[in-house]
Amino acid sequence: MNALSGVKRKLALSVTTLAAIAVSTVQGSAASAPGGTQGGPDHWGVITRNTIGSPVAALRNGPFGSFGVTGPSARPPYGTGSLGIEVADNSTSLTPPSEKVDFGNEIDFYRNPVLGLNQVGFHVFQTGENTSHGGPTNMPNIRFEINPNLSAATTTYSSMVWSPPASPVTDRWSPYLNATTTGTWFLTGNAGTVTGCNQSTPCTFPQLKTALNDGGPAPTIYTVAVGKGRDNLWAGAVDGLRINRNIYDFEANGVRTLRTS
């Protein structure tokens, strides 16, 4: 009887081990589809060194609505969840006193080519209250921390930031906002000064890529993030972040990578 129990236990352990190996293999494959920029589901979160104050950037269900809104715009464009973002405009002792937060990925896009970006954008849940706090272009951003590798500048760091246009709708989910054809882009620091694509004189996406392609080494990505601040009070949500052929679906239980054709 004891010998039989021992055999059964060994068989059970073997099956469990094989199942664990299989699950690990499947998860690894899903997290790293070949070609283009990637984003493993375990590598997304608040980038703490880019966070100021006590903002919120959290995976959540919904939002669904607002009240009275029905149809596709009443729910997140992918799944049932999104990335909820909240920042305050006057809650720190710093100058300026506003908050800032980045929710992103510091691992999977590292050293990918900036000039290889050809599809970027997201969906946003914008509210009428947000527009009253900072106008119709009071919106979250997409930020790439990059090594600009400019021949005319020695800097190895800049933030490449997309400022979206006004959302065409409020109190419901927007259609896809394409960062390669709408809104403007700027570079922070010396890279912005050298290229002329700075916060005072932002560029279109094609202009930005042309400015970065100055004949020197190709610019590369450090990190990718969705963020807000430091400027106006904002509370809303983002979903369906697109980077080339991958769409990142923000869900309450994690980030799913969807592959477009």
Side-chain angles (χ1 to χ4, degrees), residues 3-251:
L4 182 59
S5 297
V7 170
K8 287 182 177 179
R9 185 169 183 275
K10 287 180 180 178
L11 286 171
L13 287 173
S14 297
V15 170
T16 302
T17 301
L18 288 172
I21 292 172
V23 169
S24 176
T25 302
V26 170
Q27 288 177 341
S29 299
S32 56
T37 52
Q38 309 303 322
D42 298 329
H43 295 154
W44 291 87
V46 172
I47 300 179
T48 52
R49 59 187 172 76
N50 290 345
T51 299
I52 297 171
S54 301
V56 173
L59 298 173
R60 52 159 293 176
N61 281 320
F64 301 99
S66 300
F67 61 87
V69 176
T70 59
S73 62
R75 58 180 296 119
Y78 298 94
T80 60
S82 66
L83 172 65
I85 298 174
E86 298 175 16
V87 293
D89 62 343
N90 189 14
S91 67
T92 76
S93 59
L94 304 175
T95 303
S98 50
E99 294 181 338
K100 177 181 182 295
V101 68
D102 278 349
F103 182 98
N105 189 316
E106 300 184 80
I107 303 296
D108 298 298
F109 299 88
Y110 183 58
R111 291 183 177 172
N112 282 4
V114 173
L115 300 180
L117 294 170
N118 51 59
Q119 291 291 336
V120 183
F122 59 34
H123 299 254
V124 65
F125 191 94
Q126 172 71 304
T127 69
E129 286 77 8
N130 288 333
T131 63
S132 67
H133 298 321
T137 57
N138 181 24
M139 294 270 282
N141 310 103
I142 295 175
R143 310 181 203 270
F144 292 87
E145 292 181 291
I146 68 169
N147 181 349
N149 272 331
L150 292 166
S151 298
T154 57
T155 181
T156 58
Y157 177 88
S158 180
S159 287
M160 190 175 86
V161 184
W162 177 52
S163 300
S167 173
V169 295
T170 58
D171 300 318
R172 65 197 68 203
W173 281 99
S174 77
Y176 176 69
L177 303 180
N178 190 334
T180 68
T181 59
T182 65
T184 57
W185 290 80
F186 66 88
L187 297 168
T188 61
N190 193 37
T193 302
V194 169
T195 60
C197 295
N198 53 55
Q199 199 161 5
S200 300
T201 58
C203 296
T204 65
F205 189 67
Q207 289 171 336
L208 178 72
K209 290 179 73 172
T210 298
L212 288 169
N213 188 16
D214 68 346
T220 57
I221 297 170
Y222 292 133
T223 71
V224 173
V226 175
K228 181 63 176 134
R230 306 171 68 189
D231 45 24
N232 302 300
L233 174 71
W234 198 84
V238 168
D239 195 24
L241 171 65
R242 181 166 182 177
I243 309 292
N244 287 347
R245 291 179 60 192
N246 288 342
I247 295 173
Y248 300 99
D249 170 22
F250 299 124
E251 297 294 330

